[in-house]
């Protein structure tokens, strides 16, 4: 499940980047951000909000699981929106 969280955002951006009709890397990444950033941001927000609810549970398992979910979603978001975009600008096809 965590692998899906960690890879999902990058895959959405990558799919849009690869299927773009634009010629330059900059324009492809710009289109990917324009079309997918709302969906990715909304997905991250809802995942983190669901994780926050688990922090209020009485069992330690829920609190640890909430921490894992929230950190994974936030880190995946940061890596997808910043690191992946930068790498595609430099090394992308």
């Amino acid at each position: 499940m965590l692998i899906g969280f960690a890879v999902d955002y990058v895959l959405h951006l990558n799919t849009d980047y690869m299927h773009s009709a634009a010629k330059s890397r900059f324009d492809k990444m710009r289109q990917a951000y324009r079309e997918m950033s709302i969906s990715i941001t909304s997905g991250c927000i809802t995942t983190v909000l669901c994780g926050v609810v688990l922090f209020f549970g009485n069992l330690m398992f829920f609190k640890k699981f909430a921490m894992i979910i929230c950190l994974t979603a936030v880190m995946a978001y940061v890596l997808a929106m910043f690191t992946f975009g930068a790498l595609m600008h430099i090394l992308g096809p």
Side-chain angles (χ1 to χ4, degrees):
M1 186 168 95
L2 285 177
I3 292 171
F5 277 143
V7 176
D8 187 42
Y9 304 146
V10 172
L11 286 178
H12 280 71
L13 279 175
N14 184 40
T15 301
D16 204 274
Y17 179 89
M18 294 304 291
H19 290 237
S20 174
K23 299 293 181 202
S24 71
R25 295 176 189 163
F26 177 78
D27 291 335
K28 285 183 173 199
M29 200 64 229
R30 190 175 180 182
Q31 177 184 341
Y33 279 144
R34 193 175 333 120
E35 292 179 1
M36 297 306 296
S37 64
I38 282 291
S39 300
I40 293 170
T41 303
S42 298
C44 181
I45 289 170
T46 57
T47 302
V48 169
L49 288 177
C50 290
V52 167
V53 171
L54 290 174
F55 278 116
F56 298 108
N58 291 331
L59 297 176
M60 184 60 69
F61 171 78
F62 291 137
K63 293 178 183 184
K64 290 188 182 218
F65 191 59
M67 181 65 72
I68 290 170
I69 287 176
C70 290
L71 284 177
T72 302
V74 169
M75 291 299 295
Y77 181 80
V78 169
L79 290 173
M81 297 305 276
F82 300 109
T83 307
F84 178 75
L87 286 174
M88 286 296 104
H89 278 291
I90 296 169
L91 305 171

